[in-house]
Amino acid sequence: MITTRFAPSPTGLLHLGHAYAALFAAMRGARFLVRIEDIDFTRCKPEYEAGIFEDLAWLGLSWDMPVLRQSMRMGAYSAALERLKSLGLIYPCFCTRAEIAAEIARAAEAPHGPEGPHYPGTCRALSYAQQAEKIAAGIPYALRLDTAKAAALAGDLYFEESGEGVTGRIKAEPQRFGDIVLARKDTPAAYHLAVVVDDAFQGVNLVTRGEDLFTATHIQRLLQALLGLPEPLYAHHRLILDESGKKFSKRDRAVTLASLRESGADPLEIMTRIGFMGCRDIS
Ligand code: GLU
């Protein structure tokens, strides 16, 4: 049975782009789940979470299991980090943003990935003794993946894409990211780690999301392989853009579902406006 999910972060009001994402996921899944991605405690707000449920209900969507909140899943993320640690694939990084930026500026040619310039690898070279000394001194640290080592261990990886852009079997290229952060200084898990752990936990076997997250799949596929998680299928959908061709932002009040609803729009008008023509496939 195909299981999909809609996984918004409660950091603002949902807009037309979210409506498309939620409808797309609901249409593609025989089982449709909702997950609240609220690991960033500094930006998530309960009123936005309440707004998500209100908007989904207004769109006529219902979901099949209790909602999963990432803020309740820290134990699972720590266990995943422990596994990566036991494989020797993560290391503590004590660098500040400013130090990283200075190091990148110094390098003649810093490689760039989908999330910006690669981390220059400064802390990868620290010995265990140096790491222990910094930890003992109370210097805050993030945990990074040694991506080159991890990719070598995992070997060639692929993912199966059946979305609205390129489709077929795609070779994962996790090295495009460099050493990503898996646990931040202020939060014990970062996006890529939390997503793969939770998709597996919830039995999501078709990951649907916007094509802005297409490249994320390259690194997430690697994490799945390292953690021994099942490989889901992927369907990335087109983005709903404003008149000037830009992505809607959570700050554009005019296109939030709440304000469209207040101004008298009905869900059918929303679906027409975003070009959503689909019915739920329950095969
Ligand atoms: N929480 C992410 C977002 O709101 C989506 C994560 C995902 O679908 O992988 O953009």
Side-chain angles (χ1 to χ4, degrees), residues 5 7-9 37 191 195 208-209 213 220:
R5 47 59 169 187
S9 300
E37 303 217 319
Y191 162 67
V195 161
T208 68
R209 57 188 178 195
L213 287 171
Q220 291 179 11

Side-chain angles (χ1 to χ4, degrees), residues 164-237:
E164 296 182 316
V166 286
T167 56
R169 189 164 180 259
I170 295 168
K171 187 166 199 284
E173 293 170 347
Q175 296 89 332
R176 284 168 59 185
F177 280 77
D179 289 359
I180 55 159
V181 168
L182 291 181
R184 292 171 18 185
K185 287 179 183 171
D186 51 356
T187 324
Y191 162 67
H192 296 300
L193 181 82
V195 161
V196 298
V197 168
D198 287 343
D199 282 335
F201 175 71
Q202 292 188 286
V204 172
N205 52 18
L206 175 65
V207 172
T208 68
R209 57 188 178 195
E211 63 190 17
D212 52 338
L213 287 171
F214 179 85
T215 45
T217 311
H218 289 272
I219 192 81
Q220 291 179 11
R221 188 65 206 96
L222 172 63
L223 292 176
Q224 286 155 0
L226 298 171
L227 293 169
L229 303 174
E231 176 193 345
L233 303 171
Y234 287 88
H236 292 86
H237 58 74

Side-chain angles (χ1 to χ4, degrees), residues 38-52:
D38 58 350
I39 39 178
D40 186 345
F41 304 128
T42 56
R43 292 172 59 227
C44 295
K45 295 215 168 83
E47 59 266 35
Y48 292 138
E49 188 180 311
I52 290 170

